[in-house]
Amino acid sequence: MATPSRKTSTSSPLASKRALPRDPSSEVPSKKKSSAPQAAPPPPLPLQSSGPFVEGSIVRIAMENFLTYDICEVSPGPHLNMIIGANGTGKSSIVCAICLGLAGKPAFMGRADKVGFFVKRGCTKGMVEIELFRTSGNLIITREIDVAKNQSFWFINKKSTTQKVVEEQVAALNIQVGNLCQFLPQDKVGEFAKLSKIELLEATEKSVGPPEMHRYHCDLKNFREKEKQLETSCKEKTEYLEKMIQRNERYKQDVERFYERKRHLDLIEMLEAKRPWVEYENVRQEYEEVKLARDRVKEEVRKLKEGQIPMTHRIEEIERQRYNLEARIKEKAIDIKETSQKCKQKQDIIERKDKQNKPQIFLTEVCLPVLVHKIEELQQALTVKQNEEHDRQRRISNTRKMIEDLQNELKTTENCENLQPQIDAITNDLRRVQEEKALCEGEIIDKRKERENLEKEKKNVDDHITRFDDLMNQKEDKLRQRYRDTYAAVLWLRNNRDKFKQRVCEPIMLTINMKDNKNAKYIENHIPANDLRAFVFESQEDMEVFLKEVRDNKKLRVNAVIAPKNSYADKAPSRSLNELKEYGFFSYLRELFDAPDPVMSYLCCQYHIHEVPVGTERTRERIERVIQETRLKQIYTAEEKYVVKTSFYSNKVISSNTSLKVAQFLTVTVDLEQRRHLEEQLKEINRKLQAVESGLITLCETNKHLEHKDNELRQKKKDLLERKTKKRQLEQKISSKLGSLKLMEQDTCNLEEEERKASTKIKEINVQKAKLVTELTNLIKICTSLHIQKVDLILQNTTVISEKNKLESDYMAASSQLRLTEQHFIELDESRQRLLQKCKELMKRARQVCNLGAEQTVPQEYQTAFQDLPNTLDEIDALLTEERSRASCFTGLNPTVVEEYTKREEEIEQLTEELKIKKVELDKYRENISQVKERWLNPLKELVEKINEKFSNFFSSMQCAGEVDLHTENEEDYDKYGIRIRVKFRSSTQLHELTPHHQSGGERSVSTMLYLMALQELNRCPFRVVDEINQGMDPINERRVFEMVVNTACKENTSQYFFITPKLLQNLPYSDKMTVLFVYNGPHMLEPNRWNLKAFQRRRRRITFTQPSQ
């Protein structure tokens, strides 16, 4: 496209091989000067005459502010239109105009995804107008493009319409701008070869097949999909039905056993239902018997009660007599008691007097012992007084002696020096020692915590190292299983490293550490297995020593390589990764793993891992562009490896690709650097632990010494404090003893005074005692008379009590008989009540068992069933036991099995019906498939045969071979049908399928062109566009292809053909029916309004005529 500042002018068809139907000036493509835009000329009226154009051919193409054009109008011919022009002049712009003008998608062109990008730079609007030939009147489609809104406005024959209507009109003329078999723009030439067989068949059907062919194909795919679903459904239902039938057959015997068990259970249920009724009847009869016995006992109780009434009256009369006698006896007893009390009082007074007169002689025998006892007590009291006095004198003497001793000791204590300064000094030393001890104990606690933390850290590091060793063992196990000799050499190397002067690396597969296991496949596919198991040496001499020992002596098959002297490990790639990120590359191979410097240097030098990029799925999608633009020799995508080479003879780029193999050895990642770091960390931890242990021992010894010193100071302080408090204690003791002495001296006793007082009291008591003895004698006489009267009353009472006891004995005998009879009555009544309650309960239970209400009678079915059952409990229980035993024999039966069996029977019936319907539907689909397949496949085979015939002829004319066939792996998989193109360009090779990678670019272009030519005469489409397909062809093939294009496209009744190319070979054959359109572009082109082809032709004729005269 020309830039806005660039001057553009008109272009002219300098060579045309046909007569133009209209004014030639209207047929010439023109460019309007961008600096002075002018209004476009009024569009011509639609063509009405048919001429050589086929229905739907392009009669006129008009563009305004479109890509490189200001204003341009092109009038193509009905047959082959060859558009020629240098690169950048605007040939492909005409192709874009055709595509967009016929409602094609912008993305199909491969240039931009928005229609606004096709408007000339600096303009706000653009226009494309396509005039299509129709016998009923030409169809003019106009598309106006608004850049700001990125919208299009559509017109048909200058009337506004919608894109959908335009698409319908275009489809009615069988124009398919999205079909590569009809419309092949420049950026899509390479994609034609990438079409799968299925996609090529679909494009071919749409392009050259009858209108119904593609529809039949789609119907077949839909029918087949539905058929598969129905077949799968029928198969699943059939299998499921068979499984259910088999399962029901397995459970049939169980179901029969279940029903047999149920019959036994039903009989048990009826027996259990009758048993309460039989039990109720037995209890009811027992109730009636108990009720009769109770009534008899009740009558007997009544008779016994009537016989006790006279006896009760006599006992009551005697009781009244006894009560009167006992009352009189109580009165006499009270009088005797009062008299006796008075005697007692007098006697007590006499006794007290005797106690007070020790030397007096008692007059009565009763008081004499008491007075003797009192005298002895007085003598003992005087003896106690004398002993107490002697003891007090002795204690006073002892106390005075103790006071004297304490005072002497106190005098000795006062001579001791002042001890407080020593106590204070010891206290300070003790405080300081305690502070040092607390500090030492705190440090010991800190050290122990530090030791615990270090031990935990050591355990974690040990665990990490163990995990690393486990991973390394996994890698070594893989090496041992696959390459035993290499593994044996590794073990020998580890034990003999001292024999080598420089560094020796173990096999590369052990030293490589992948940063991400998912990328291991790239390394294993890039580095051969022989090098993956090779040892890497820095010295030739070391390698010879190793190989001599391992290969020659031990006969082990191992590989060894030498790392370059100058390290390649850090060599920078020739291209920055940032430049390649737009193609989907994310890393070079070298950045995917870590390895020792000699290994990395060797791999960079030998396999250029610093130059090989790794891409993603995005890279694979753009692989053609990546190969052409990056010129990389090796490329990795997500699942493939591409190798790009340049042909030595033709200088063409040849690429091949292979699928990546799954990684086997490098999937286990072991970071050796991290392991070495962990080992160093472990050494440091052990060193710290030793230091902590040493410090802890020192602190413990220091703490022990401080504790010993603390104990010594405490003992010294205790001794000083005891010496200091001893004086105060002595003073307190002396004071206490003086107080005791004073109290003892005050406590004195006068023995003579005590003896005189006691003698006086005894004389007074003796005088009073003589008077009391006289009074006591009179009272004793009165008391004797009262006792005689009381004895007489007691005798009378005894006679009455004897008679009462005899009556009560007779009464008790009768009462005992009555109680026994009443007890019997109560027992019978309770039994009656219990039996009555039991009858009610049994009746209730019997009704519950039979599910009867309170007023309902036993149903007839129960009565009938009960008649056939035993009538006694023993017989019922025996039969119940027998039936339960029989029922218990049917073990392992589950009611759910019967439910499932019944449910499955219903489901089997339902599934059978559904399966019958599905099979009918399947047969119907198969019949439809058969009919549609016949309508589709036979015409398709004929069509493919015709294409193959023409395609083979074209290749034969080029001394090459090619064929087209209908390919499918299974005739029933209609979505897998496809067209397969196979070609060979050299006699020494076999036919190979056309793919994006097997053939060269020129070979793919020739194959694509010849296939499109094979479709030319069969094509239903009104025109075909092929843009720069001859690029990459060698001159011979290009000449041959051009001749075929001319011969095929210029035949009668063929569709219109647009062939765009930037160059042509010399001395090519041309046809009178072809139209050659030249596109020019430059700063000296004429303005559009000055372009006049007729005037140019006249001027040319004048020059031609005047030349001979000169």
Side-chain angles (χ1 to χ4, degrees):
M1 180 187 290
T3 60
S5 63
R6 181 181 176 186
K7 183 177 180 182
T8 59
S9 184
T10 59
S11 60
S12 169
L14 298 182
S16 178
K17 299 295 182 179
R18 68 177 181 84
L20 303 177
R22 295 191 293 135
D23 184 4
S25 62
S26 66
E27 301 173 4
V28 180
S30 63
K31 284 194 177 181
K32 184 176 180 182
K33 190 174 182 180
S34 60
S35 59
Q38 300 180 10
L45 296 174
L47 295 176
Q48 300 296 329
S49 60
S50 62
F53 286 96
V54 299
E55 191 82 3
S57 297
I58 298 176
V59 178
R60 180 175 59 86
I61 305 169
M63 296 167 284
E64 182 177 345
N65 297 330
F66 186 81
L67 291 175
T68 59
Y69 297 103
D70 291 335
I71 296 177
C72 179
E73 187 172 296
V74 180
S75 297
H79 298 292
L80 176 60
N81 292 275
M82 188 161 57
I83 303 175
I84 306 174
N87 288 331
T89 56
K91 304 184 300 302
S92 297
S93 300
I94 298 174
V95 177
C96 295
I98 295 173
C99 177
L100 297 179
L102 296 176
K105 305 296 181 184
F108 179 72
M109 304 303 301
R111 291 193 171 197
D113 56 351
K114 293 183 179 180
V115 71
F117 292 153
F118 289 87
V119 177
K120 186 174 182 181
R121 188 177 300 172
C123 301
T124 58
K125 290 185 179 181
M127 183 273 293
V128 176
E129 187 171 273
I130 308 293
E131 182 175 346
L132 302 176
F133 175 78
R134 282 195 314 189
T135 54
S136 60
N138 286 5
L139 179 68
I140 301 175
I141 299 174
T142 306
R143 182 175 190 171
E144 293 183 358
I145 303 169
D146 190 332
V147 177
K149 297 180 181 179
N150 192 39
Q151 289 182 347
S152 298
F153 303 94
W154 297 88
F155 301 89
I156 294 181
N157 295 332
K158 301 305 176 183
K159 295 182 180 179
S160 178
T161 185
T162 62
Q163 182 175 348
K164 185 176 180 181
V165 175
V166 173
E167 291 173 349
E168 291 173 353
Q169 292 284 351
V170 170
L173 295 172
N174 199 33
I175 297 173
Q176 306 167 20
V177 293
N179 190 341
L180 293 181
C181 290
Q182 178 178 348
F183 198 90
L184 192 62
Q186 177 181 352
D187 295 329
K188 297 290 183 177
V189 172
E191 291 190 10
F192 185 87
K194 295 180 182 178
L195 287 176
S196 65
K197 294 186 284 290
I198 298 171
E199 293 171 337
L200 184 59
L201 172 61
E202 184 177 351
T204 304
E205 285 178 339
K206 292 180 180 178
S207 178
V208 299
E212 66 277 3
M213 179 176 285
H214 182 63
R215 188 179 74 250
Y216 285 157
H217 192 186
C218 294
D219 291 344
L220 275 175
K221 288 190 282 187
N222 294 333
F223 286 156
R224 177 56 182 163
E225 186 65 27
K226 186 65 177 177
E227 183 188 19
K228 287 181 180 178
Q229 295 176 1
L230 286 171
E231 287 176 348
T232 304
S233 178
C234 288
K235 183 179 179 182
E236 291 175 352
K237 287 183 181 296
T238 303
E239 292 175 353
Y240 184 58
L241 183 61
E242 290 176 355
K243 289 179 181 178
M244 292 182 67
I245 292 173
Q246 293 173 1
R247 190 178 300 173
N248 263 18
E249 285 297 325
R250 288 199 302 269
Y251 291 122
K252 186 174 182 180
Q253 186 176 1
D254 290 343
V255 172
E256 291 176 354
R257 293 176 69 243
F258 177 84
Y259 283 118
E260 179 68 21
R261 177 174 178 269
K262 189 173 184 303
R263 285 192 291 274
H264 289 293
L265 294 177
D266 291 341
L267 180 57
I268 291 170
E269 183 180 357
M270 294 307 298
L271 288 169
E272 290 176 344
K274 183 175 181 180
R275 192 179 189 286
W277 291 102
V278 174
E279 191 175 359
Y280 163 75
E281 184 61 26
N282 293 341
V283 173
R284 189 188 65 79
Q285 291 176 3
E286 185 179 357
Y287 167 77
E288 294 295 335
E289 293 174 358
V290 170
K291 184 179 178 184
L292 291 175
R294 168 186 168 276
D295 292 340
R296 289 195 298 271
V297 173
K298 185 178 180 181
E299 181 63 22
E300 187 178 349
V301 168
R302 184 185 64 78
K303 291 179 180 178
L304 288 173
K305 285 183 177 180
E306 289 178 353
Q308 277 186 332
I309 293 174
M311 196 179 298
T312 304
H313 293 327
R314 178 58 185 162
I315 290 172
E316 289 175 354
E317 182 180 352
I318 292 172
E319 181 65 24
R320 284 195 294 274
Q321 292 178 7
R322 187 185 67 78
Y323 179 77
N324 293 329
L325 289 172
E326 286 182 351
R328 292 172 62 190
I329 290 170
K330 286 180 181 179
E331 290 176 358
K332 295 298 179 179
I334 291 170
D335 293 341
I336 291 170
K337 185 177 180 180
E338 289 176 355
T339 305
S340 299
Q341 187 67 29
K342 290 177 181 179
C343 291
K344 180 66 175 172
Q345 289 175 357
K346 295 295 182 179
Q347 189 175 359
D348 290 340
I349 292 171
I350 293 170
E351 289 177 355
R352 284 197 297 272
K353 295 296 182 178
D354 290 338
K355 290 178 183 179
Q356 295 174 5
N357 297 292
K358 180 180 177 183
Q360 184 177 355
I361 299 172
F362 294 95
L363 299 177
T364 63
E365 294 180 359
V366 178
C367 295
L368 183 60
V370 176
L371 292 175
V372 173
H373 179 70
K374 288 302 287 180
I375 292 170
E376 290 177 354
E377 284 182 356
L378 287 173
Q379 290 175 349
Q380 288 176 359
L382 287 174
T383 302
V384 168
K385 293 282 186 183
Q386 291 171 356
N387 291 336
E388 286 178 356
E389 180 65 21
H390 292 311
D391 184 62
R392 185 177 65 83
Q393 293 296 331
R394 182 180 54 79
R395 283 189 286 110
I396 289 172
S397 176
N398 291 337
T399 302
R400 286 174 178 169
K401 185 177 180 182
M402 288 176 64
I403 291 172
E404 185 178 355
D405 293 339
L406 289 173
Q407 286 174 348
N408 293 332
E409 187 178 357
L410 180 60
K411 292 176 182 179
T412 305
T413 305
E414 286 175 354
N415 296 328
C416 296
E417 59 183 349
N418 191 4
L419 301 177
Q420 189 60 40
Q422 297 181 29
I423 294 173
D424 293 341
I426 291 174
T427 302
N428 293 332
D429 293 341
L430 186 61
R431 187 181 301 112
R432 178 179 55 78
V433 170
Q434 288 175 346
E435 289 175 356
E436 292 177 1
K437 184 181 176 184
L439 183 62
C440 184
E441 289 175 348
E443 291 180 358
I444 289 173
I445 293 171
D446 294 339
K447 287 290 183 182
R448 285 174 178 168
K449 288 182 179 177
E450 184 179 359
R451 182 176 63 183
E452 290 176 0
N453 293 334
L454 286 172
E455 287 174 349
K456 289 179 182 177
E457 189 175 352
K458 179 182 178 181
K459 186 177 182 302
N460 291 334
V461 173
D462 284 335
D463 292 342
H464 277 84
I465 292 175
T466 303
R467 286 197 289 271
F468 276 120
D469 290 341
D470 292 341
L471 293 174
M472 195 64 189
N473 290 336
Q474 291 180 24
K475 295 182 75 173
E476 292 176 2
D477 286 343
K478 290 186 178 181
L479 178 66
R480 178 176 53 79
Q481 293 169 8
R482 186 70 178 272
Y483 307 110
R484 291 185 176 275
D485 289 356
T486 304
Y487 179 72
V490 169
L491 298 180
W492 181 88
L493 175 63
R494 291 175 180 174
N495 295 327
N496 298 275
R497 286 194 179 272
D498 55 340
K499 295 184 178 181
F500 303 100
K501 297 178 181 180
Q502 296 188 24
R503 185 175 181 182
V504 180
C505 296
E506 294 182 358
I508 292 176
M509 67 172 62
L510 295 182
T511 56
I512 281 181
N513 182 50
M514 298 302 303
K515 296 178 180 178
D516 190 341
N517 295 344
K518 293 186 292 186
N519 298 325
K521 58 184 177 182
Y522 302 119
I523 307 302
E524 290 195 20
N525 280 272
H526 192 74
I527 304 172
N530 285 337
D531 269 7
L532 279 176
R533 63 189 181 96
F535 293 82
V536 181
F537 294 82
E538 291 184 336
S539 166
Q540 179 72 30
E541 182 181 354
D542 287 343
M543 187 174 75
E544 291 174 358
V545 171
F546 176 79
L547 293 177
K548 183 178 180 181
E549 180 66 32
V550 175
R551 279 188 182 173
D552 300 342
N553 297 340
K554 295 185 175 295
K555 306 300 181 183
L556 299 177
R557 292 176 296 175
V558 297
N559 293 340
V561 296
I562 297 180
K565 292 183 179 180
N566 299 324
S567 178
Y568 283 74
D570 298 326
K571 188 175 181 180
S574 58
R575 299 183 64 171
S576 171
L577 186 62
N578 292 331
E579 299 178 15
L580 301 177
K581 284 187 177 178
E582 62 175 307
Y583 303 108
F585 293 107
F586 64 89
S587 176
Y588 284 105
L589 286 177
R590 182 176 63 185
E591 278 67 42
L592 296 180
F593 64 91
D594 295 324
D597 189 76
V599 175
M600 188 69 77
S601 178
Y602 170 76
L603 294 178
C604 288
C605 177
Q606 186 68 22
Y607 296 105
H608 307 286
I609 58 174
H610 62 294
E611 296 283 1
V612 180
V614 182
T616 59
E617 193 66 27
R618 179 182 168 198
T619 309
R620 190 192 66 78
E621 294 172 357
R622 305 180 177 187
I623 191 63
E624 291 291 339
R625 179 183 166 197
V626 172
I627 293 173
Q628 292 175 6
E629 296 181 2
T630 61
R631 298 294 181 181
L632 293 167
K633 296 185 181 300
Q634 293 187 74
I635 297 170
Y636 283 91
T637 63
E639 298 296 337
E640 293 176 332
K641 175 184 178 181
Y642 289 84
V643 179
V644 182
K645 298 179 180 178
T646 304
S647 175
F648 180 77
Y649 299 100
S650 61
N651 203 29
K652 294 180 180 177
V653 176
I654 302 171
S655 65
S656 63
N657 66 308
T658 56
S659 297
L660 298 180
K661 299 177 182 177
V662 179
Q664 297 180 357
F665 299 106
L666 302 181
T667 53
V668 178
T669 301
V670 180
D671 193 342
L672 297 179
E673 185 63 31
Q674 187 177 357
R675 191 184 185 284
R676 284 194 293 272
H677 175 71
L678 288 172
E679 288 177 348
E680 292 174 0
Q681 189 176 353
L682 184 61
K683 291 179 182 178
E684 180 65 20
I685 291 171
N686 287 330
R687 187 188 61 78
K688 290 181 179 179
L689 271 174
Q690 290 178 358
V692 169
E693 287 290 347
S694 177
L696 193 59
I697 292 171
T698 304
L699 288 171
C700 288
E701 291 178 354
T702 304
N703 187 56
K704 186 176 180 181
H705 173 70
L706 291 173
E707 188 172 357
H708 180 68
K709 191 174 181 180
D710 179 73
N711 292 334
E712 289 180 352
L713 291 173
R714 288 179 182 275
Q715 187 62 37
K716 288 181 180 180
K717 185 177 180 181
K718 181 179 179 183
D719 294 341
L720 291 173
L721 289 174
E722 287 178 354
R723 290 171 61 188
K724 183 180 177 181
T725 56
K726 187 174 182 180
K727 179 181 178 182
R728 186 167 59 253
Q729 292 175 354
L730 290 172
E731 291 175 347
Q732 291 176 355
K733 286 182 180 180
I734 292 170
S735 176
S736 175
K737 294 297 180 181
L738 290 172
S740 299
L741 180 60
K742 186 177 180 180
L743 291 174
M744 285 187 291
E745 290 176 346
Q746 291 175 357
D747 189 14
T748 59
C749 181
N750 192 347
L751 293 176
E752 295 178 356
E753 183 64 25
E754 289 294 329
E755 291 177 358
R756 186 185 60 80
K757 288 180 180 179
S759 177
T760 303
K761 288 180 180 179
I762 290 172
K763 289 179 181 180
E764 292 176 356
I765 291 171
N766 286 333
V767 173
Q768 294 175 2
K769 185 178 178 182
K771 184 179 178 180
L772 289 173
V773 168
T774 304
E775 293 176 357
L776 177 60
T777 302
N778 295 329
L779 290 172
I780 289 171
K781 291 178 179 180
I782 295 170
C783 183
T784 301
S785 174
L786 290 173
H787 274 292
I788 292 170
Q789 294 175 9
K790 179 182 177 183
V791 168
D792 184 47
L793 291 173
I794 289 171
L795 291 173
Q796 295 179 16
N797 187 41
T798 301
T799 302
V800 172
I801 289 172
S802 176
E803 185 180 358
K804 178 187 174 186
N805 289 338
K806 183 176 181 303
L807 288 172
E808 285 179 348
S809 177
D810 296 339
Y811 181 82
M812 289 299 294
S815 297
S816 176
Q817 181 65 28
L818 178 61
R819 281 196 302 274
L820 290 174
T821 307
E822 286 179 342
Q823 183 66 31
H824 189 201
F825 171 78
I826 292 170
E827 290 175 356
L828 289 173
D829 190 60
E830 289 176 353
S831 178
R832 183 189 69 82
Q833 293 290 339
R834 185 174 63 256
L835 289 172
L836 179 61
Q837 184 65 28
K838 190 174 181 180
C839 284
K840 291 179 180 179
E841 291 175 357
L842 289 173
M843 174 63 74
K844 183 178 179 182
R845 178 182 164 196
R847 288 184 175 277
Q848 286 178 349
V849 170
C850 297
N851 294 323
L852 299 177
E855 304 297 331
Q856 287 181 309
T857 59
V858 179
Q860 185 62 37
E861 56 181 9
Y862 276 98
Q863 295 180 10
T864 304
F866 288 167
Q867 289 176 359
D868 299 331
L869 298 177
N871 294 321
T872 65
L873 287 177
D874 293 339
E875 292 176 347
I876 289 174
D877 290 340
L879 187 56
L880 267 175
T881 303
E882 180 182 353
E883 291 299 321
R884 284 170 180 163
S885 299
R886 290 180 179 179
S888 64
C889 295
F890 298 92
T891 58
L893 299 179
N894 192 344
T896 56
V897 174
V898 180
E899 294 176 6
E900 291 175 359
Y901 180 87
T902 308
K903 187 177 179 181
R904 274 196 295 271
E905 285 291 333
E906 297 173 356
E907 196 171 351
I908 286 170
E909 185 178 351
Q910 183 180 355
L911 274 175
T912 305
E913 188 65 28
E914 290 179 2
L915 189 59
K916 191 182 296 182
I917 296 172
K918 289 286 184 183
K919 287 183 177 178
V920 171
E921 188 178 358
L922 180 60
D923 293 339
K924 182 179 178 182
Y925 267 98
R926 285 174 175 167
E927 185 179 352
N928 291 337
I929 288 173
S930 178
Q931 294 175 358
V932 176
K933 180 180 179 181
E934 185 177 355
R935 296 174 192 166
W936 170 74
L937 189 58
N938 292 335
L940 178 61
K941 288 181 177 179
E942 294 176 2
L943 178 64
V944 173
E945 188 61 36
K946 290 178 182 178
I947 295 172
N948 179 50
E949 181 182 356
K950 294 182 180 297
F951 187 76
S952 299
N953 292 337
F954 287 148
F955 263 87
S956 297
S957 66
M958 295 176 61
Q959 286 77 46
C960 300
E963 67 177 25
V964 177
D965 61 357
L966 188 63
H967 178 267
T968 182
E969 296 178 358
N970 183 1
E971 281 194 11
E972 303 301 324
D973 292 338
Y974 303 106
D975 55 342
K976 301 293 177 59
Y977 274 79
I979 288 181
R980 180 174 60 179
I981 301 175
R982 296 193 298 166
V983 297
K984 75 170 182 176
F985 290 88
R986 286 167 288 279
S987 59
S988 60
T989 61
Q990 299 294 325
L991 285 170
H992 288 284
E993 187 175 345
L994 182 65
T995 64
H997 310 296
H998 191 276
Q999 291 81 14
S1000 66
E1003 291 171 348
R1004 291 198 299 270
S1005 298
V1006 170
S1007 303
T1008 302
M1009 193 69 186
L1010 294 183
Y1011 184 80
L1012 294 178
M1013 294 307 304
L1015 301 181
Q1016 178 66 16
E1017 295 181 5
L1018 305 172
N1019 205 351
R1020 294 188 302 107
C1021 61
F1023 65 87
R1024 177 176 285 104
V1025 177
V1026 180
D1027 189 1
E1028 296 191 16
I1029 197 171
N1030 59 334
Q1031 298 302 304
M1033 294 184 188
D1034 59 68
I1036 296 175
N1037 287 336
E1038 185 176 357
R1039 185 177 295 277
R1040 289 173 178 173
V1041 169
F1042 185 83
E1043 290 176 2
M1044 294 178 192
V1045 170
V1046 172
N1047 293 334
T1048 304
C1050 293
K1051 290 181 180 180
E1052 293 294 335
N1053 299 323
T1054 59
S1055 59
Q1056 194 178 29
Y1057 202 100
F1058 289 89
F1059 185 80
I1060 294 91
T1061 180
K1063 63 179 180 63
L1064 287 174
L1065 300 174
Q1066 295 182 358
N1067 301 321
L1068 292 173
Y1070 295 93
S1071 173
D1072 293 337
K1073 293 183 179 180
M1074 67 183 291
T1075 301
V1076 182
L1077 300 173
F1078 293 91
V1079 181
Y1080 289 98
N1081 191 356
H1084 303 295
M1085 298 300 294
L1086 290 174
E1087 299 290 340
N1089 56 1
R1090 294 176 58 191
W1091 181 268
N1092 190 331
L1093 184 59
K1094 290 183 178 180
F1096 298 155
Q1097 291 173 341
R1098 286 195 301 271
R1099 187 182 304 166
R1100 177 64 180 170
R1101 284 195 294 270
R1102 284 197 302 270
I1103 294 173
T1104 304
F1105 294 152
T1106 57
Q1107 280 180 354
S1109 63
Q1110 294 177 354

